[in-house]
């Protein structure tokens, strides 16, 4: 009993903060990482009320917490709260990982590298490819810099509100060939990689995509995931996409990058993704 108590006390505390957060898979992912690496990590999900985010972060810090993941809707607020940011977090305008230091609150954003690593793990090449990113909200913004770093031939952002796509493209144009447009402008264009970063799948909807959008061998990637294929994934199968992926791999990869920032140890992700798939299917 006292051994168990001592052991629990020696664990370092981490958490994900969001709203809603009850169904977050992050606690499960980080407990699998902790098991695998032997790192003394305890990780929980904390639901935070609107307006209560800075206080919740302060309380977690004061209680000896070592780090946080931040999810919807607090990523922008987290960006404003931290007093040091990585280059990629600075660009993204959003923070999904906080590390507590003695006098610092360090903010990073691992979403984009999570997406890129998942694509690369699946042996998909981004360099030289025509890439379409759908959506111009926080999810899209977070992945732009790491995607451009892979040097696609072109990156087109399409959004329901075309002006937002154009503004986003302007904000990243120094990093590569990038343009923004509405969905109607996609007629007669073809892409090798199409990524869905819209919230449409959450509502069971699909952005208005033209037929013949997919080039031979095209890859379709939905940043959402679930037990069933999303509307965009179903569209991709109907359009004969060669590869169709959901965002579960990205979720695990961004978690692995956060774990590395906190612990300096990089967990192996393949078996964790497989384990989560089995759990989701059952
Ligand atoms: P997130 O942080 O998840 O990106 P967000 O900032 O609210 O959330 O952005 C949601 C994105 O999904 C936006 O690009 C939105 O398009 P608009 O900017 O035109 O609103 C897009 N979106 C949401 N529902 C959609 C739908 N049914 N069809 C197409 N795009 C949709």
């Amino acid at each position: 009993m006292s051994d168990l108590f001592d052991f629990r006390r020696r664990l370092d505390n981490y958490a994900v903060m969001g709203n809603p957060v009850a169904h977050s898979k992050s606690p499960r992912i980080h407990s699998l990482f902790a098991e695998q690496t032997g790192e003394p990590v305890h990780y929980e999900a904390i639901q935070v009320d609107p307006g209560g985010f800075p206080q919740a972060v302060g309380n977690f810090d004061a209680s000896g917490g070592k780090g946080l993941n931040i999810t919807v809707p607090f990523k922008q607020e987290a960006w404003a709260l931290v007093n040091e940011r990585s280059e990629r977090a600075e660009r993204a305008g959003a923070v999904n990982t906080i590390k507590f230091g003695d006098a610092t609150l360090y903010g990073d954003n691992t979403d984009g590298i999570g997406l890129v690593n998942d694509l690369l793990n699946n042996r998909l090449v981004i360099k030289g490819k025509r890439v379409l990113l759908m959506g111009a909200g926080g999810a899209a913004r977070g992945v732009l810099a790491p995607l451009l770093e892979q040097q696609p031939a072109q990156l087109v952002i399409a959004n329901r509100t075309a002006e937002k796509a154009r503004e986003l493209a302007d904000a990243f144009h120094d990093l590569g060939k990038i343009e923004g447009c509405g969905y109607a402008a996609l007629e007669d264009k073809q892409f090798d990689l199409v990524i869905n970063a819209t919230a449409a799948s959450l509502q069971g909807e699909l952005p208005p995509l033209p037929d013949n959008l997919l080039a031979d061998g095209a890859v379709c990637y939905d940043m959402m995931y679930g037990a069933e294929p999303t509307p965009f994934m179903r569209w991709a199968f109907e359009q004969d996409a060669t590869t169709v992926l959901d965002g579960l791999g990205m979720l695990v990869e961004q978690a692995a990058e956060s774990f590395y920032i906190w612990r300096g140890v990089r967990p192996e992700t393949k078996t964790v993704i497989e384990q989560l798939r089995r759990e989701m299917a059952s």
Side-chain angles (χ1 to χ4, degrees), residues 261-277:
I261 289 165
W262 295 324
R263 309 299 306 181
V265 176
R266 202 175 285 282
E268 183 277 321
T269 50
K270 190 165 174 277
T271 54
V272 174
I273 295 170
E274 287 166 358
Q275 173 77 22
L276 286 180
R277 287 252 182 249

Side-chain angles (χ1 to χ4, degrees), residues 190-226:
Q190 283 206 315
F191 294 91
D192 306 297
L193 170 60
V194 181
I195 300 166
N196 184 15
T198 73
S201 295
L202 280 179
Q203 305 139 21
E205 289 174 6
L206 177 71
L209 295 172
D211 287 339
N212 304 318
L213 184 71
L214 302 182
D216 277 351
V219 178
C220 288
Y221 194 104
D222 200 327
M223 283 165 54
M224 299 285 161
Y225 63 87

Side-chain angles (χ1 to χ4, degrees), residues 75-133:
K75 289 185 192 181
Q76 282 88 346
E77 226 180 301
W79 184 90
L81 186 71
V82 297
N83 54 19
E84 243 183 60
R85 297 182 198 110
S86 68
E87 171 82 35
R88 61 194 179 192
E90 187 67 40
R91 276 272 177 182
V95 156
N96 80 333
T97 306
I98 293 178
K99 184 178 181 179
F100 296 110
D102 287 339
T104 56
L105 214 52
Y106 173 76
D108 204 338
N109 189 316
T110 64
D111 287 331
I113 191 70
L115 170 68
V116 167
N117 283 347
D118 190 38
L119 288 166
L120 299 180
N121 289 345
N122 281 284
R123 298 181 203 288
L124 300 170
V125 178
I126 304 166
K127 190 178 166 91
K129 302 290 180 182
R130 295 161 292 178
V131 179
L132 171 64
L133 181 69

Side-chain angles (χ1 to χ4, degrees), residues 135-139 159-161 164 183 197-200 203 205 207:
N159 197 43
R160 198 168 52 177
T161 316
K164 271 169 69 182
Y183 289 103
T198 73
Q203 305 139 21
E205 289 174 6

